């Protein structure tokens, strides 16, 4: 009964979430031999002012808005 | 000094939260022999588009609005 | 489908764990109106050298061994 | 820079872990459009006496040893 | 590649967050001998109605608004 | 009452843990204006076979033993 948490930058549309939970559930079920219906996934979204690497907020590093311009958050 | 995290579907009113933290604190204090004042509880609420079981978002499974119509999220 | 995490000091016997999951599941199910079978509980145990309050490891504050001598960890 | 946590029952061999992190990283990278090298995965393993559903420890429900006899933990 | 989570009461301005991630990254890098750029920090903010100690919500204990009037949340 | 979680590679001696909790508590207390005694820190240690980046276990990337040879885990 795996419980998966996915922490990502805030702002992705629901179709991306739909795609990631489907793909991750399949990946976990197949590699760990559990039934897909036993896999729980929780998505936790973080504002860029709540995520930092190297001591710097991502809001300062990448700008405040969410976007895909070369930024993998 | 137990630290308890309760992850639930988003949308319960404050009186439900009041009731659950009181009841869980009592349950933990009595069974683990710790003083109630040492028990910390954090409630984490998830949108249905951030919770999935069986590879399907709860927003798709149960509809977008929070409600109690037979759904235990 | 609440997911509860209980973080406690390491070393309690299984009967204490049995008691706490039973009592907490009941508390959550009754106050949040979910079926008990939908409640998942994860217990995470911490060595005293991995828990600190006030900047001091509990191993230093309370001694290395687990025990109930007035210590609520 | 997604951070993924996979919580599972304790006892899988390293090749299962190798397979799951490879498959989940691929699933996340493809569906969320992030580079695979930015995906971090943490596996957290739980003893059956630290995991409960429906108010009952999995050690009591499924027996103490880890095994695949129809049990998806 | 330490991953740090900081759980705090909701409402601090961005300059406080900027200060805490800078100071914590420095503290971790120096004491654990890792490069600062390998340190990830996630800030998780909690409403007072989602945080309880001693079985009482902080919203009830301290009032609903965030403020510093002697309250360390 | 900040609750801090520090996730690191397994194997550091207790004096490193002592140093990191002292330094992080000071950093948090000073930048967020909370009393040091309200800061709780939990250290979570991960085996290299339970930590992966880029889809590869650190046990495979860096070898099974913990060590500081240029590896920041």
């Amino acid at each position: 009964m795996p419980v998966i948490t996915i922490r990502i930058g805030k702002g992705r549309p629901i179709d991306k979430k739909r795609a990631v939970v489907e793909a991750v559930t399949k990946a976990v079920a197949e590699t760990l031999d559990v039934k897909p219906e036993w896999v729980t996934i929780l998505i936790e979204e973080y504002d860029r002012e709540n995520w930092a690497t190297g001591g710097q907020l991502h809001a300062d590093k990448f700008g405040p808005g969410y976007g895909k311009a070369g930024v993998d958050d």
Side-chain angles (χ1 to χ4, degrees), chain A:
Chain A
M1 296 156 167
V3 179
I4 318 291
T5 306
I6 301 179
R7 294 180 172 93
I8 48 173
K10 197 176 187 164
R12 280 178 178 81
I14 192 171
D15 64 284
K16 290 285 179 189
K17 296 176 180 179
R18 199 175 278 132
V20 75
V21 301
E22 192 183 323
V24 169
T25 299
K26 195 167 175 289
V28 169
E30 285 178 2
T31 54
L32 299 185
D33 293 311
V34 296
K35 294 198 197 82
E37 57 265 37
W38 285 119
V39 178
T40 296
I41 299 185
L42 302 166
I43 300 175
E44 303 187 356
E45 300 182 279
Y46 290 80
D47 273 332
R48 281 194 182 167
E49 71 173 62
N50 287 339
W51 195 306
T53 43
Q56 198 184 5
L57 297 177
H58 286 193
D60 292 334
K61 232 179 203 166
F62 304 132
Y66 171 78
K68 286 286 325 321
V71 181
D72 289 336
D73 63 350

